[in-house]
Amino acid sequence: MKMECAIAGKLSSTSSYLVNTRRNGMKRTKLMANHNMFYSSKSMISLPILAHTNPSLKVVTEKLGCPADFGFGELVWPTPGDEIPFWKNKFPSRYASLEAPAEIEKDSNLMHIIHITAEMAPIAKVGGLGDVVTGLARACLSRGHTVDIMLPFYECIQKQEISDLALITTYNSYHDGNWVATNAYHGVVSSIPVIFIEPSNQFFKGKNVYGGSYNELEAYLFFSRACLEWMQVTGVQPDIIHVHEWQIGALPLLYWDMYQSLSLKKPRIVLTIHNMEHYGECRQEQLSKCGLDGSIYASVEKAIDDRTIGHNPERLSLLKGGIVYSNAVVTVSPTYLKETLCSGWLASVLITHRDKYFGILNGIDTVIWNPATDAFLPAKFHAQKPEGKKICKYYIQKGLGLKSEGTVPLVVCITRLVAQKGLHLITHTIKRAEELGGQMILLGNSPVHWVQKDFEDLANLHNKGTSTRILLMYSEELSHMLYAAADIVLVPSIYEPCGLAQMIGMRYGAVPVVRKTGGLADTVFDMDDPSNHEKANGFVFEGIDEGSLNWALDRAFRHFIGSKFCLH
């Protein structure tokens, strides 16, 4: 009954918040795809990192058949043998003090929004979740809202990336029969106020965001309650508590069945599901460790994991509980919403709560992802002055030891190496791009040991040549450079709730080749589909086999090699 009263009282403003901030504030602004171009210029352009002195530059660039003065300053290019890889050079700080665009129209109904999340770019980024949380928070700020992010204070966070970090609250929060001493810090990241929660126990200790020696599920149960406990202790009452993914799925339960009957009366809860692959499977006794009675939620109407009905023991799903108990539930594209209503273990609960379930397309932060101002690029560029993109491509080719050919299409794939991303299609593209006379760079790694090992073997096989580089790591700096260098961005996902790579690629002047699924279907429209002529901006395939991929990739190569063209 509490939920019904809450929905009646505030859901209208919650829905307004969702639509205004996600669809408009973080909308897909004019991507560079609107002026997207394949560059097949015969001239080679020197390409490199800014340096103060390089008197030989003019001679070298003229030998390459291009003018030395591109207005980018003096450049020195990297080599594979450099002691420090070019993407590890020191760059100007770009995240600590990013300002939101000033020209954004302010909302009339201003609210206080607190995002609670396991990830935030760039300080605690594993995948797209971190990018979206940061971008959405900045979009809300730009529209005049008061915004905070609450994040675990992971031991691996680089404190130098946080501005004005200070301890603001010391309090106790409950876990497994004990009250744990907890610190709350305040800092600023990418112009966003961030509250870091640091328990005195072992939670969130380790070299990485995930995969520590502690029980992760119990750590996020603790964090969910610790965030609400901090609000109660400090008297902070936001309008919206916006929780993200299964990790924070218990917070709506804690809010409505515990804290709302104490002192937190004002907030309403929004849950965004970025990927339904993980349900937050949880034993009843584990949920009880955060102070709730886990047995109360072991019903189909609440939080029982439908996959375990009839098993011994039956388990709970934190994500399902979050869906039931939140005032509004969002997923990250209209097509993914349709797909999740038709298949998957959560389809029945989503259908039951269809009236509060919204599919709103993600966007990218066009200040962070802006080739005209990107501090990581050797040369800046935009649609009206695209010469810098050629420089970026040549820079990557030189730095990674690829053959320096402007007329050869460069395919880039930046991804986590997990089954969802179409691993067999990625490995096929490595071979196919070479067969077609192109080049390919793969940047990513895998949490799955055997997948990582398979790609290590591929790297040992292909990295000795001059057409392929498989880089099994994560680098924010290198990802920016690769998007800027790419002619084609590959996203062959088996399923993709939204996807950001295709949008970032278009923003940086690359053409996407994608599989038609989820948010990829909502953002990329095939060049050769007459029904989408006005929106055409890439190449799309539907099957999950290599032949279907070839159909799209081969067409992209033909367009690149045969013409110089704009996608409108």
Side-chain angles (χ1 to χ4, degrees):
M1 188 62 187
K2 290 179 180 177
M3 271 207 65
E4 285 75 5
C5 294
I7 293 172
K10 197 84 179 206
L11 186 54
S12 59
S13 61
T14 303
S15 301
S16 174
Y17 154 68
L18 291 171
V19 174
N20 287 339
T21 57
R22 297 286 304 280
R23 184 171 292 160
N24 298 327
M26 197 183 172
K27 65 185 178 181
R28 285 188 304 126
T29 56
K30 291 183 179 178
L31 303 175
M32 196 168 177
N34 292 338
H35 303 277
N36 206 347
M37 186 178 292
F38 272 142
Y39 303 105
S40 56
S41 171
K42 294 180 180 179
S43 64
M44 282 295 174
I45 301 177
S46 79
L47 100 61
I49 190 161
L50 291 174
H52 292 295
T53 57
N54 186 5
S56 63
L57 176 67
K58 183 174 181 179
V59 175
V60 174
T61 52
E62 287 177 350
K63 284 182 179 180
L64 286 168
C66 60
D69 182 13
F70 283 92
F72 301 113
E74 294 179 341
L75 303 173
V76 57
W77 49 75
T79 69
D82 291 342
E83 183 177 351
I84 300 175
F86 60 88
W87 61 88
K88 292 187 177 180
N89 284 309
K90 291 184 178 179
F91 297 94
S93 177
R94 55 176 279 124
Y95 286 111
S97 59
L98 280 173
E99 296 297 329
E103 70 277 6
I104 298 294
E105 180 182 352
K106 301 298 187 280
D107 288 336
S108 57
N109 181 24
L110 297 180
M111 292 181 284
H112 181 194
I113 304 152
I114 295 183
H115 292 272
I116 303 181
T117 177
E119 296 184 30
M120 178 190 181
I123 57 171
K125 175 181 172 179
V126 175
L129 169 61
D131 287 311
V132 171
V133 169
T134 297
L136 180 53
R138 284 170 44 79
C140 294
L141 282 167
S142 72
R143 299 180 73 87
H145 300 282
T146 300
V147 181
D148 298 289
I149 289 177
M150 298 190 76
L151 184 74
F153 207 163
Y154 297 106
E155 186 179 43
C156 63
I157 287 177
Q158 302 297 309
K159 293 182 177 62
Q160 65 269 22
E161 297 188 42
I162 307 169
S163 299
D164 305 322
L165 183 64
L167 177 66
I168 56 170
T169 315
T170 298
Y171 66 106
N172 296 318
S173 192
Y174 182 87
H175 176 70
D176 196 17
N178 299 301
W179 289 90
V180 179
T182 303
N183 291 330
Y185 296 82
H186 183 275
V188 178
V189 179
S190 302
S191 298
I192 307 166
V194 183
I195 298 156
F196 298 92
I197 301 299
E198 181 187 57
S200 57
N201 60 15
Q202 76 280 11
F203 290 159
F204 310 118
K205 302 293 192 295
K207 296 180 180 180
N208 301 298
V209 171
Y210 302 130
S213 58
Y214 54 90
N215 185 301
E216 256 181 16
L217 186 140
E218 292 183 13
Y220 288 116
L221 287 172
F222 169 84
F223 174 64
S224 296
R225 176 157 182 178
C227 289
L228 292 172
E229 188 69 27
W230 179 83
M231 293 180 205
Q232 173 155 291
V233 167
T234 59
V236 172
Q237 298 247 14
D239 297 287
I240 300 291
I241 298 174
H242 192 149
V243 303
H244 297 267
E245 291 288 66
W246 70 266
Q247 289 95 333
I248 323 298
L251 188 144
L253 285 64
L254 283 159
Y255 177 75
W256 288 112
D257 286 351
M258 185 180 296
Y259 283 87
Q260 213 271 339
S261 62
L262 296 173
S263 64
L264 292 180
K265 306 293 186 182
K266 183 180 180 182
R268 295 299 177 262
I269 312 295
V270 175
L271 165 67
T272 289
I273 305 172
H274 299 259
N275 191 328
M276 293 191 200
E277 179 182 7
H278 304 291
Y279 296 170
E281 187 174 322
C282 177
R283 298 193 308 274
Q284 293 179 31
E285 58 269 26
Q286 286 180 302
L287 182 59
S288 296
K289 290 186 177 184
C290 71
L292 296 171
D293 181 352
S295 65
I296 292 176
Y297 302 93
S299 67
V300 173
E301 294 76 18
K302 290 189 175 181
I304 197 165
D305 188 333
D306 292 10
R307 299 171 301 171
T308 70
I309 293 175
H311 293 193
N312 185 16
E314 294 179 336
R315 298 199 177 198
L316 307 177
S317 164
L318 296 183
L319 189 56
K320 179 179 176 180
I323 292 168
V324 172
Y325 274 75
S326 293
N327 297 100
V329 181
V330 181
T331 196
V332 291
S333 69
T335 296
Y336 191 58
L337 178 143
K338 295 174 185 175
E339 292 170 351
T340 56
L341 289 171
C342 296
S343 62
W345 287 100
L346 291 172
S348 60
V349 71
L350 291 171
I351 291 170
T352 300
H353 295 276
R354 180 65 183 87
D355 61 333
K356 66 175 184 181
Y357 184 35
F358 305 91
I360 304 175
L361 189 65
N362 271 344
I364 58 172
D365 189 315
T366 54
V367 175
I368 291 175
W369 296 103
N370 183 358
T373 60
D374 195 325
F376 297 142
L377 303 189
K380 313 297 188 287
F381 61 94
H382 53 77
Q384 287 71 42
K385 190 176 181 181
E387 292 85 2
K389 184 169 178 66
K390 303 175 189 177
I391 294 177
C392 291
K393 179 178 178 179
Y394 192 66
Y395 183 76
I396 287 293
Q397 290 172 324
K398 293 289 287 184
L400 295 179
L402 296 174
K403 188 176 181 180
S404 302
E405 287 280 358
T407 55
V408 171
L410 174 61
V411 181
V412 166
C413 182
I414 301 174
T415 185
R416 291 179 299 115
L417 296 173
V418 293
Q420 170 199 340
K421 301 298 182 178
L423 298 178
H424 66 295
L425 298 176
I426 293 171
T427 56
H428 175 74
T429 304
I430 294 170
K431 177 182 177 182
R432 186 62 177 169
E434 188 171 0
E435 290 174 348
L436 294 172
Q439 297 175 339
M440 181 167 177
I441 301 172
L442 170 64
L443 176 65
N445 53 26
S446 179
V448 182
H449 175 74
W450 68 266
V451 173
Q452 185 78 1
K453 179 62 169 61
D454 284 352
F455 277 91
E456 287 172 358
D457 293 341
L458 283 172
N460 291 333
L461 177 65
H462 290 280
N463 284 0
K464 298 173 184 177
T466 60
S467 61
T468 302
R469 289 295 177 267
I470 300 171
L471 308 173
L472 299 177
M473 61 181 183
Y474 170 75
S475 168
E476 183 76 6
E477 298 84 354
L478 184 55
S479 68
H480 282 248
M481 296 179 190
L482 290 178
Y483 282 122
D487 298 304
I488 296 169
V489 169
L490 176 71
V491 192
S493 304
I494 303 304
Y495 72 93
E496 191 63 66
C498 181
L500 300 179
Q502 77 281 12
M503 290 188 265
I504 297 169
M506 290 189 282
R507 174 72 167 162
Y508 281 63
V511 173
V513 172
V514 308
R515 183 170 174 271
K516 189 175 183 178
T517 182
L520 301 175
D522 294 322
T523 54
V524 181
F525 305 95
D526 197 272
M527 277 288 295
D528 297 322
D529 181 357
S531 67
N532 283 319
H533 178 71
E534 295 300 318
K535 297 188 290 184
N537 58 2
F539 298 90
V540 180
F541 63 99
E542 295 192 20
I544 61 172
D545 60 292
E546 291 85 349
S548 297
L549 170 61
N550 286 349
W551 180 72
L553 187 66
D554 293 4
R555 289 185 295 124
F557 268 63
R558 285 198 299 270
H559 275 285
F560 178 92
I561 294 168
S563 64
K564 201 176 186 181
F565 70 105
C566 281
L567 298 179
H568 296 289

